[in-house]
Amino acid sequence: MKNFKDKVAVITGAGSGIGRALAQELAASGAKLALSDINEAGLKKTATDLGLAEDRLMTRVLDVADRQAFYDFADDVVNHFGYANMIFNNAGVALGATVEDMKYDDFEWLMNINFWGVVYGTKAFLPYLKQSGEGHIINISSIFGLVGIPTQSAYNAAKFAVRGFTESLRIELELEGSPVSCTSIHPGGIKTNIAKAARMTDGVERITGADKEKSIQDFEKLFRTTPEEAASTILKGVRANKRRVLIGSDAVAVDAMQRLLPTSYQKLIAMGQKYMNK
């Protein structure tokens, strides 16, 4: 997909961060947009800032963890525009917790959004993307879909799962000669509110040596890439039909570390955490 003009792009988590930046760049490229977010205020701001006419924009307050709601959204998008070409499964949440202290409710909350939301979005829209004759599925994983990080086991589980799910799907689509492709996206630290909105347990302090507020501050220091830079990189990857897109120099470094030290990287991360705790 080299050109986004008049293509219908569906974006979850469009009320802020990467989702909003994707909407802005796609609108500038002439795309039609179907935007969703569970945050109604954020979604309205994105829509207002875009200033698009109704024939080029629709919005929906959507909980991506609600399978039926996602399927209804897909039907409504196609009823509104007549077709759909791209689904950006971008919505996500964060959870800081050790495996021992993590509550099942929190684990399920994160998986329902970060993994099942991707699955629902992919399966709800895939038939429509095929019908359009030219489609692309863009699933947002993470650098935490490449390496394991202490206190991030739930997030790791979801993002590793998104990566595997997307890579498997890509091969299936190629084997059947489908007009649809897909790409796994692996952002590093992006300047969004995901850390501030994260759930966090007391066990994090035991591992990191810092309370919740300090942990969030330390984590946000690693955010180097703007949402606008991330969106631009993602869309370049879609145009090039890349299988995997790394966003930010930190993502490139983490990917290289995992390739060079596929298991030993764990020792390096543990040593780094111990050093930070001093």
Side-chain angles (χ1 to χ4, degrees), residues 12-263:
T12 67
S16 63
I18 294 176
R20 178 176 289 172
L22 283 168
Q24 292 168 339
E25 183 160 342
L26 283 163
S29 299
K32 301 177 182 180
L33 301 175
L35 309 180
S36 73
D37 202 296
I38 199 168
N39 183 333
E40 184 174 6
L43 184 61
K44 283 183 176 179
K45 180 172 180 6
T46 298
T48 299
D49 290 349
L50 291 173
L52 296 176
E54 187 175 317
D55 64 335
R56 305 199 68 85
L57 173 68
M58 68 169 287
T59 63
R60 172 68 54 82
V61 175
L62 175 70
D63 178 359
V64 298
D66 185 332
R67 184 198 302 178
Q68 188 57 56
F70 219 142
Y71 273 79
D72 291 343
F73 178 49
D75 293 341
D76 290 345
V77 169
V78 174
N79 287 335
H80 185 88
F81 291 111
Y83 58 97
N85 300 103
M86 294 176 281
I87 171 70
F88 293 82
N89 287 306
N90 166 72
V93 294
L95 169 65
T98 64
V99 172
E100 183 177 9
D101 293 337
M102 182 166 46
K103 298 176 181 178
Y104 279 107
D105 286 348
D106 287 340
F107 198 171
E108 291 169 359
W109 166 75
L110 182 141
M111 292 298 293
N112 286 338
I113 296 168
N114 289 11
F115 175 63
W116 283 111
V118 171
V119 174
Y120 298 155
T122 298
K123 287 182 64 63
F125 278 95
L126 180 55
Y128 290 129
L129 301 187
K130 287 184 174 182
Q131 288 175 17
S132 75
E134 185 180 21
H136 208 108
I137 297 165
I138 302 92
N139 291 336
I140 308 297
S141 178
S142 168
I143 57 172
F144 289 3
L146 303 173
V147 295
I149 301 293
T151 75
Q152 294 298 311
S153 57
Y155 197 80
N156 281 139
K159 296 304 185 178
F160 269 78
V162 167
R163 171 188 164 193
F165 174 78
T166 307
E167 292 180 0
S168 175
L169 173 62
R170 171 76 180 233
I171 300 168
E172 292 174 1
L173 294 171
E174 290 176 338
L175 287 174
E176 67 183 42
S178 174
V180 179
S181 188
C182 66
T183 300
S184 182
I185 309 296
H186 298 267
I190 310 297
K191 296 176 182 179
T192 70
N193 293 324
I194 190 168
K196 286 187 174 68
R199 295 183 183 182
M200 194 171 296
T201 68
D202 294 339
V204 172
E205 184 172 352
R206 188 174 70 250
I207 297 295
T208 66
D211 61 22
K212 179 177 179 179
E213 292 304 318
K214 180 65 164 54
S215 294
I216 291 173
Q217 291 172 9
D218 290 344
F219 197 60
E220 288 185 331
K221 289 177 182 178
L222 303 176
F223 293 178
R224 302 176 180 178
T225 305
T226 67
E228 291 74 21
E229 290 169 334
S232 179
T233 302
I234 290 169
L235 295 179
K236 286 177 183 176
V238 174
R239 290 188 182 97
N241 196 26
K242 288 189 174 182
R243 298 174 187 275
R244 179 184 298 178
V245 173
L246 303 172
I247 300 178
S249 57
D250 49 348
V252 173
V254 166
D255 181 60
M257 178 181 70
Q258 197 283 327
R259 291 172 186 271
L260 292 171
L261 304 168
T263 57

